[in-house]
Amino acid sequence: MTVVTRFAPSPTGFLHIGGARTALYNWLFAKHHAEYGSGGRFLLRIEDTDRKRSSDEAVAAIYEGLKWLGLDWDGDAVSQFSGAARHAEIAEQLLAEGKAYKCYCSAEELQEMRDAARAEGRSMRYDGRWRDRDPADAPEGVDPVIRMKAPLVGETVIQDLVQGEVTVANEQLDDMILLRANGTPTYMLAVVVDDHDMGVTHVIRGDDHLTNAFRQTQIYSLLGWDVPAFAHIPLIHGADGAKLSKRHGALGVEAYRDLGFLPEAVCNYLLRLGWSHGDDEIISREQAVEWFGLESVGRAAARFDMDKLTSLNGHYIRESDDARLLELVLPRLRETLGEALSEEAESRLLKGMAGIKERAKTLIELAEGAEIYARARPFDLDEKAQNLVEGEGRDHVGHLRDRLRNLDDWNAENLQATVRGYAEEADIKLGKAAQPLRAALSGRTVSPGIFEVMEILGREETLGRLSDFLERA
Ligand code: GLU
């Protein structure tokens, strides 16, 4: 059997981190079956029936977010709104088969039911007053809604692949509306028809939809359609256990991109947030496709931990190809430095990337580190660096420049020997010479190894920077 999954976001806002995880699980499940089973497809459906709250920008953000995460979908994305006529047709079909009926209840009547329910401390259930009523009783000039004939007794049972068996007594559920008086389908009907028409075999989504699954199961059985397998995954909570909110990092995926996270780090993090494979923390996309299954999705709400995500990101930055990292930091550098990098600076940066990426946990940190190779001369020292070169420090830099000028073979080893030689003669610790040198060369107090930096900067740039500093100080 070919597994068909879908991601069905409502385009009412950005693609948030919870949605991204749902998309990832659906994608992985389909890919796993495509590569290790008898086929798998991952579909995308935009649930844009709420016209007031849906926007084209949100649809674009969803596409872009999924692409950034590398979660490509099969075929074209389906717009739920565009299927409205088909949804209505199914409601009419149920009506014709006597499995649904027209309800002419007025707003006042419904309000009375609501008030009565509230007074009795229970949730509102439509009392079925038009279920068996003679259609000849229909009031003049009122457009009816179409309601499903839900079973009155017995239970509706879901064999959820994550939650296990979940049951509701049918008397808890009422005859819900399938088609509104204005002819538009309700969400519940649209989801069932679309999932059926798209051939969805597995519905993997947040457990906030678990109660909807009961209603949907009832609609499937009225229609005589196979019910897809359900897997309701626990929601993501903040580190403090409360439902994830903006304060916890419930941002759109584009915000994570802007914060300097790599998509593979975000995916690896989201994968582990609710699913496990032994004690493995670092899991590549290929391994995830191989290992992913719904049986290892946990039942407890996962807690979002920004520190963990950040440290995973550091791992993926260290693992990344230097040329790719260069492409990723260039736009950021252009922005902070206010101009594009010279070709020379770019090639220096590429050489220095291996050293810089060791320390960076985000692309923002990487871009900061990269400034040492990227900045144009002359530049100011930051305050800490300035303190390091006050007084004696400046003198050491002056002496060191003179010695470095005479160095023949410009490489890290010789540079180190020169600075070391100077420190010994001046009877100071190596750091007393190297730190002011670092400050003058980078404008900062932190950098990759200073001899490596000087080698990469090259003779001309190094001596130029030292002269800028000495002439200005
Ligand atoms: N559109 C729903 C949402 O964004 C998802 C519905 C579903 O997956 O069945 O929460």
Side-chain angles (χ1 to χ4, degrees), residues 43-46 59 63 73-80 82 198:
L43 309 178
L44 176 61
R45 180 170 73 236
I46 304 292
V59 175
Y63 290 162
W73 55 96
D74 291 304
D76 290 336
V78 170
S79 148
Q80 185 159 65
S82 68
M198 290 163 77

Side-chain angles (χ1 to χ4, degrees), residues 316-334:
Y316 280 101
I317 287 180
R318 289 192 295 280
E319 295 280 293
S320 279
D321 180 60
D322 294 344
R324 173 189 177 209
L325 292 176
L326 178 69
E327 288 310 314
L328 289 170
V329 295
L330 281 179
R332 291 173 193 269
L333 282 170
R334 211 170 294 142

Side-chain angles (χ1 to χ4, degrees), residues 33-109:
H33 285 274
E35 285 186 31
Y36 299 93
S38 45
R41 285 165 58 73
F42 168 66
L43 309 178
L44 176 61
R45 180 170 73 236
I46 304 292
E47 301 211 315
D48 50 358
T49 41
D50 185 341
R51 302 311 283 169
K52 280 203 206 89
R53 293 179 61 221
S54 300
S55 73
D56 291 345
E57 296 79 64
V59 175
I62 290 166
Y63 290 162
E64 206 176 302
L66 290 174
K67 282 184 191 149
W68 181 69
L69 293 167
L71 305 178
D72 49 326
W73 55 96
D74 291 304
D76 290 336
V78 170
S79 148
Q80 185 159 65
F81 177 68
S82 68
R86 163 81 178 148
H87 305 144
E89 177 193 309
I90 294 295
E92 296 292 343
Q93 178 194 318
L94 286 172
L95 188 65
E97 290 170 358
K99 293 175 180 168
Y101 60 94
K102 290 182 178 171
C103 164
Y104 294 88
C105 259
S106 65
E108 292 73 38
E109 283 175 282

Side-chain angles (χ1 to χ4, degrees), residues 6 8-10 47 187 191 205 209:
R6 58 27 167 214
S10 307
E47 301 211 315
Y187 167 69
V191 168
R205 61 187 174 192
H209 287 283

